[in-house]
Amino acid sequence: MKGIKIAAAVLLLCGIFGICGCQKKEPLAVVVEKIEVVSHRGNETLERTYTKSVKMKAILNYLRWLRPRFGADCDPEKIPGDAYTITVTLSDGEEEIYEQKTNGYLRKDEGRWENIDPEKGIMLYEIISNMGSDEIG
């Protein structure tokens, strides 16, 4: 009798978890699927799309390396100069959009502009000018 109750409880739990598992459609891990970078530097526009992990890692490492310090004391959108947009597409369909202005300012998803070290900020152009787009298809 005790074995039947245990078996029934196990079957009930399997049924409950099975139903919950079928309803949950989110991926177990969210990963970066694609990174697009658009650079406006003077009269030159560069557009790059990266899907290979080594190239995406270079852009993601760059973003981590910047370490914005504190809020900007001006409106970078009113300052003429270089402008970059980095769009990171995740496997769950979400996008993170980073904007960099004049090698000295960065913001994420239309948030607050933050100051970055201009000597580091110049490196984005170096990275993308030396790293062509990946073929998609």
Side-chain angles (χ1 to χ4, degrees):
M1 188 72 165
K2 187 175 183 180
I4 294 173
K5 288 181 181 179
I6 292 173
V10 169
L11 287 174
L12 179 63
L13 288 173
C14 287
I16 290 171
F17 289 122
I19 291 170
C20 292
C22 290
Q23 292 176 345
K24 189 172 183 176
K25 301 269 188 215
E26 296 177 19
L28 294 174
V30 177
V31 296
V32 176
E33 288 189 340
K34 176 175 64 172
I35 296 178
E36 297 168 291
V37 182
V38 178
S39 163
H40 300 283
R41 188 170 188 205
N43 292 329
E44 178 186 32
T45 298
L46 293 178
E47 295 183 33
R48 302 284 196 253
T49 300
Y50 304 116
T51 56
K52 294 182 180 174
S53 61
V54 69
K55 292 181 180 181
M56 291 189 300
K57 188 175 183 179
I59 300 297
L60 294 172
N61 285 342
Y62 168 78
L63 289 170
R64 285 188 206 107
W65 180 61
L66 285 178
R67 299 185 186 227
R69 294 179 284 193
F70 45 87
D73 56 356
C74 63
D75 183 0
E77 291 184 69
K78 294 181 180 177
I79 301 172
D82 302 350
Y84 303 87
T85 302
I86 303 168
T87 305
V88 178
T89 303
L90 305 173
S91 60
D92 64 359
E94 294 292 316
E95 288 184 341
E96 296 175 352
I97 299 175
Y98 298 85
E99 294 174 87
Q100 180 178 315
K101 186 73 172 152
T102 69
N103 301 323
Y105 304 96
L106 182 77
R107 73 176 174 177
K108 179 182 175 187
D109 296 328
E110 295 188 20
R112 184 174 81 164
W113 285 102
E114 302 284 336
N115 288 329
I116 58 174
D117 181 347
E119 290 182 17
K120 290 181 178 181
I122 193 73
M123 295 305 296
L124 180 57
Y125 180 79
E126 298 300 320
I127 292 168
I128 66 170
S129 65
N130 291 311
M131 196 168 63
S133 288
D134 295 333
E135 291 186 30
I136 300 176

